[in-house]
Every structure is written in C-alpha cells, then in structure tokens.
Amino acid sequence: MEFISIKQLQSLSKKISKKVKVGDSIYLYGEIGAGKTTFSRFLIQSLQQKFKVKKEEVVSPTYNIVQYYNINKTINIAHYDLYRIKKIKELDNIGIFNQEYLFLNIIEWPDLIKKKHKDRIEIILRHTKNHDLRKANVKYFGRFKKK
C-alpha cells in the first residue's frame, strides 16, 4: 500500500484507462470520501479525452445505482455505486451480471459481489491523517495479472 495525492490518483486512472476494455471490471473499495468517485471521474474523462469525446460531468451514481457513458461505438461504461444495495438478489435486478460483457464496468462498493469478474482490477483507497493523501492498494487479476 502506498500513499498517493490527488494528482497521483489521476495518473493512476490514466494508466489504467490505457489497459482496460469492454468486458473488464474495476472494483473500488474504500470508506465514504476516500476517492472512489474521484478515481471514476478521472478514468472516464481520460477515456473521453483519448477518444476526443465531449467531456460529460461524471457524478456519483449513489441514487441511480448505475450511470452509463457512451465513449464511442465500441466503448461503453457502466459506473455502479452499490452503497445502497443490501442484498445479493438486488444485484441481479440491476443487471450487473448479465450485462458485464457489454461494458467497461466501474463498481464502487463491490463488497456484495461473491463471484468476482475474472479480468478485473481492485483498488482499495483509505483515508490518512494527511487530508491531501490516500493510502492506495491496487491488485490485478486475470489478464491484468503480471506474468
């Protein structure tokens, strides 16, 4: 686990945006205010910039549960916030499992997901005593795992 600033979080999101594709998942863990939505915003805007798409406002989908972003004909993003989901059965109702291959999936609060996506990146963000820094731990699985 390393300490990172907001600028380093943005750099991390840009680095990851170059590796991900439709069908992949990014699981974001951390307390409220740890930077999950900020990371998501940086990643989505990085892809919008890369493909010269007008930048949309990226907001937390806490109340909608999921927010979709169309980057181009081949890249669509599903940004989930599962904070308000309390039962595993509710995950089926929002289509998170039967549609995951159609989107690049960014999932905040993925704790209820028992069968994790094979090709995924897990990022754990934690508060520190220094308000400007976060502890970050990144884990790679499936095709992302370093060989």
Side-chain angles (χ1 to χ4, degrees):
M1 191 160 305
E2 64 179 282
F3 291 93
I4 62 171
S5 66
I6 191 86
K7 208 145 193 70
Q8 290 167 313
L9 186 64
Q10 187 172 23
S11 293
L12 175 64
S13 70
K14 193 168 193 167
K15 177 181 157 188
I16 289 174
S17 76
K18 294 175 183 174
K19 297 178 180 185
V20 293
K21 63 182 184 179
V22 168
D24 293 337
S25 292
I26 300 170
Y27 292 3
L28 299 170
Y29 297 90
E31 304 111 338
I32 291 174
K36 297 177 299 297
T37 301
T38 300
F39 173 88
S40 302
R41 180 178 304 113
F42 287 151
L43 184 108
I44 292 166
Q45 289 179 340
S46 178
L47 288 168
Q48 290 170 333
Q49 183 177 5
K50 176 181 176 181
F51 291 101
K52 297 175 177 39
V53 176
K54 182 182 177 221
K55 283 188 180 177
E56 291 181 60
E57 183 179 359
V58 177
V59 296
S60 175
T62 301
Y63 297 102
N64 298 5
I65 309 294
V66 64
Q67 180 71 39
Y68 297 100
Y69 299 90
N70 184 343
I71 302 299
N72 65 20
K73 291 180 183 177
T74 59
I75 299 176
N76 292 299
I77 297 171
H79 178 199
Y80 296 92
D81 185 326
L82 305 181
Y83 181 75
R84 295 184 318 126
I85 303 294
K86 301 299 177 210
K87 296 178 182 167
I88 294 172
K89 188 170 180 118
E90 293 177 78
L91 294 175
D92 291 332
N93 295 339
I94 61 173
I96 197 166
F97 300 118
N98 61 359
Q99 296 185 60
E100 67 184 356
Y101 67 95
L102 297 172
F103 300 97
L104 165 57
N105 303 282
I106 302 170
I107 306 169
E108 298 183 33
W109 304 96
D111 306 84
L112 279 179
I113 298 174
K114 299 300 178 211
K115 186 179 178 200
K116 297 185 187 299
H117 192 273
K118 180 184 154 201
D119 297 321
R120 72 185 186 279
I121 299 171
E122 293 185 4
I123 301 171
I124 302 164
L125 298 169
R126 301 224 187 282
H127 292 284
T128 66
K129 290 180 182 179
N130 181 338
H131 183 69
D132 295 328
L133 295 176
R134 297 291 185 264
K135 285 183 184 175
N137 189 12
V138 182
K139 297 177 184 175
Y140 298 92
F141 299 88
R143 70 177 192 84
F144 296 108
K145 200 163 192 167
K146 295 178 183 170
K147 296 173 179 154

